[in-house]
Amino acid sequence: MFDRFRDDVRTAMAKDPAAQSTLAVVLTYAGLHAVWIHRLAHAFWERDWNLPARLLSHFARLFTGVEIHPGAEIGERLFIDHGMGTVIGETAVIGDDVHMYHGCTLGGNTMRREKRHPTLEDGVTIGAGATVVGDITIGERASVGAGAVVVNEVPPEATVTGVPAEVVDEPYCESVAADVDIPNNAS
């Protein structure tokens, strides 16, 4: 457990150039506090102690400005930078080494009791104010631009921006290159 806390603090120090000291990070980083409280709330949720889990998540929201449903699954080293206004829904799944900025929403798009929130794979970055809605997957190391509204799958390592979000940068892919007709300029 303490190794996990140390990893979280190291991640904050590495990802935030404004981080002055370990003590300052431990005492003043609301996104970090929200993740730590979520881990306890999630453990309660997994044991079907739903009311204590919801009360803890409610306390975390009041204390940090970050709302993480206790049912959400969060991987290692999630860093929520300037967390105020961030919302992570009940069936969201977040991989390892994800970086989210303030005001992000991982929201649902149905009232049915099913997987209805996004999955963020390892290494994803979500820009400030971005909204990702529905049971969609944001691929490994993809980036979602600030203010984007994402309603469709995002391929690994791609960058999406806009409303609705569209791919603006995708890594070079040999299978795509094979489909491109390159004229032979040799005479």
Side-chain angles (χ1 to χ4, degrees), residues 12-23:
M13 295 290 293
K15 291 190 175 193
D16 186 356
Q20 297 288 316
S21 71
T22 300
L23 183 61

Side-chain angles (χ1 to χ4, degrees), residues 5 14-15 20 43 50 60 70 97 99 102 107 109 111 113-114 124 126 131 134 151-152 155 160 163 170 179:
F5 288 133
K15 291 190 175 193
Q20 297 288 316
N50 294 349
D97 303 305
H99 190 166
H102 67 278
N109 62 354
M111 293 295 291
R113 299 201 52 78
E114 61 189 20
V124 167
I126 307 290
T131 301
V151 295
N152 295 308
V160 297
V163 179
E170 199 165 10
D179 293 337

Side-chain angles (χ1 to χ4, degrees), residues 2-26:
F2 289 110
D3 288 339
R4 207 170 198 196
F5 288 133
R6 267 192 291 271
D7 276 352
D8 291 336
V9 172
R10 284 186 191 125
T11 298
M13 295 290 293
K15 291 190 175 193
D16 186 356
Q20 297 288 316
S21 71
T22 300
L23 183 61
V25 168
V26 168

Side-chain angles (χ1 to χ4, degrees), residues 119-180:
T119 297
L120 308 183
E121 293 184 341
D122 296 347
V124 167
T125 299
I126 307 290
T131 301
V132 184
V133 180
D135 181 15
I136 60 174
T137 298
I138 309 301
E140 284 189 27
R141 294 176 306 283
S143 295
V144 174
V149 176
V150 184
V151 295
N152 295 308
E153 305 275 328
V154 175
E157 299 184 19
T159 299
V160 297
T161 63
V163 179
E166 295 180 0
V167 174
V168 295
D169 184 33
E170 199 165 10
Y172 179 78
C173 176
E174 287 186 31
S175 63
V176 172
D179 293 337
V180 176

